Amino acid sequence: MKVMLVDDSKTMRNIQKGILAQLGYSEIEEAADGLDALSKVGAFQPELLLVDWNMPNMDGLTFVKKYREQGHKTPIIMVTTEAEKSRVVEAIKAGVNNYVVKPFTPDVLGGRIKETLERVQAA
């Protein structure tokens, strides 16, 4: 499965890559912000995106809106420090399929990925 990690923190992308590797995902593309991600999604064709909210150039919420406007249905999990309920609701309205608050454990991220993919396949 092809997964795109969109986060301005190289360390966070490395943590996510390690967890994804443990889960058996090896096709991973990285983007440092929303603009970088938009320039790469067409060629990479991800089957899942893990997107941070707070990034320079283009934040995660703006990226999600632009990506959805292009007609993409790919599942998106917002992985962020933004934990307020209003922010979660805002992200879901923008088209996010699931939400993980940092810091997270490998079990939490793995569980959300599994849950998200099961929900999308069932729909």
Side-chain angles (χ1 to χ4, degrees):
M1 171 181 271
K2 295 165 113 182
V3 183
M4 180 174 276
L5 306 178
V6 187
D7 198 309
D8 56 320
S9 163
K10 178 82 174 141
T11 305
M12 184 51 66
R13 292 196 311 265
N14 285 338
I15 290 168
Q16 290 175 347
K17 258 197 309 203
I19 293 168
L20 288 166
Q22 288 171 9
L23 296 170
Y25 301 114
S26 56
E27 282 189 86
I28 297 168
E29 178 67 71
E30 297 180 49
D33 58 50
L35 278 178
D36 191 23
L38 279 178
S39 74
K40 292 176 176 175
V41 286
F44 184 65
Q45 299 284 309
E47 296 161 82
L48 175 68
L49 293 108
L50 302 183
V51 181
D52 183 26
W53 191 311
N54 299 302
M55 297 179 287
N57 303 316
M58 182 189 289
D59 66 44
L61 192 68
T62 304
F63 165 76
V64 169
K65 289 176 181 173
K66 289 194 180 300
Y67 187 68
R68 291 295 189 225
E69 281 167 10
Q70 294 173 0
H72 296 286
K73 303 282 185 234
T74 312
I76 300 174
I77 300 175
M78 185 71 81
V79 184
T80 180
T81 55
E82 298 289 343
E84 291 170 38
K85 190 169 196 240
S86 63
R87 300 290 251 173
V88 176
V89 169
E90 189 180 355
I92 289 167
K93 281 183 180 165
V96 167
N97 300 80
N98 217 325
Y99 207 90
V100 177
V101 178
K102 295 177 190 174
F104 54 82
T105 64
D107 288 347
V108 166
L109 185 62
R112 289 287 157 73
I113 289 170
K114 185 173 181 282
E115 181 184 293
T116 303
L117 296 175
E118 283 172 357
R119 247 193 271 147
V120 168
Q121 283 161 355

